[in-house]
Amino acid sequence: MDIDDIKSRFPGKYDQHIEDMVNSLQHNKRVAEDAREPRGVVDRHSCSVEIGRAEQTELVNGEGPRMDIEITPHVGAGPFQLGMSFDDAMETARERGATVKHSPEGGRPPGKYVVKHSDVTLNFVLIFDAREQLDSVELWRFVNEDEDVNVSLDGLDVFRTPKKKLRREIERRGHTIDYNDAGFDGIADYNVILANASSQELPADPRTGFALYFDYLLVARKIAP
């Protein structure tokens, strides 16, 4: 996906979020490769993963593999609520069995912080603004198709529903989608972006040969001016 192409199709809309996402692509291969490593043992000494230009923090979650994440527009993703403070978000992660490792030590926002689970390859990225408030949350699709993970938006399984069907269902419910062949879909009244943004191999649509599912979701306080 080329940022200039997206900007030409959607002039003035979503610029900062698009830029952050595209800047993340060059590093996402490393995240996907790391996600494929065996998950039987939680590495408490692993280094932070760098995605994009901001400093990252890795959160290693020791909970079981079953994971249900509800995307609530204007509210957040699962336990991470938009607008919550950095300290509250870190405490929420710890309460869910996470170990927090900063890079650099004691690093504070603004920036991105990766939530990495021990038993599943779905990754959260928490994005904080200069006020140390949670501004948006990225979710990167799990790698293994048989993982017991469900990410839902308005009752729809985001990462297992074929893209065409998901678009139809969202539009049937009265929401407008700005989308193009580059794989970027903006749902303005949800403040949600869906995309194919990673380097991982996904099941292909037998008719088109393109990825059958989305592999990236962003929910934000605001994605349009």
Side-chain angles (χ1 to χ4, degrees), residues 4-51:
D4 293 330
D5 176 64
I6 294 172
K7 286 184 175 181
S8 68
R9 294 170 188 252
F10 302 102
K13 297 185 72 175
Y14 318 141
D15 284 357
Q16 188 57 56
H17 294 297
I18 296 169
E19 185 175 355
D20 287 343
M21 181 176 67
V22 173
N23 285 332
S24 295
L25 302 187
Q26 60 182 315
H27 303 283
N28 191 57
K29 183 177 181 181
R30 267 180 287 164
V31 176
E33 290 174 348
D34 180 70
R36 289 185 174 90
E37 293 179 357
R39 297 289 171 176
V41 179
V42 179
D43 181 7
R44 301 294 183 181
H45 304 288
S46 54
C47 297
S48 294
V49 179
E50 182 182 355
I51 296 182

Side-chain angles (χ1 to χ4, degrees), residues 69-78 150-159 161 165-177 187 189-192 194 217 219:
I69 303 298
E70 178 71 24
I71 306 301
T72 308
H74 317 291
V75 176
N150 178 61
V151 177
S152 60
L153 171 66
D154 201 10
L156 302 170
D157 189 334
V158 173
F159 291 141
T161 303
K165 181 178 180 181
L166 186 62
R167 287 165 174 159
R168 286 198 304 268
E169 285 297 316
I170 291 172
E171 291 177 329
R172 188 178 65 83
R173 299 176 188 199
H175 306 286
T176 300
I177 302 177
I187 312 171
D189 60 344
Y190 273 164
N191 281 323
V192 163
L194 299 169
L217 179 146
V219 58

Side-chain angles (χ1 to χ4, degrees), residues 175-186:
H175 306 286
T176 300
I177 302 177
D178 290 331
Y179 62 89
N180 59 40
D181 294 338
F184 170 84
D185 291 17

Side-chain angles (χ1 to χ4, degrees), residues 78-91:
F80 299 106
Q81 297 187 2
L82 300 174
M84 72 190 309
S85 70
F86 172 75
D87 291 330
D88 285 347
M90 296 299 100
E91 181 62 27

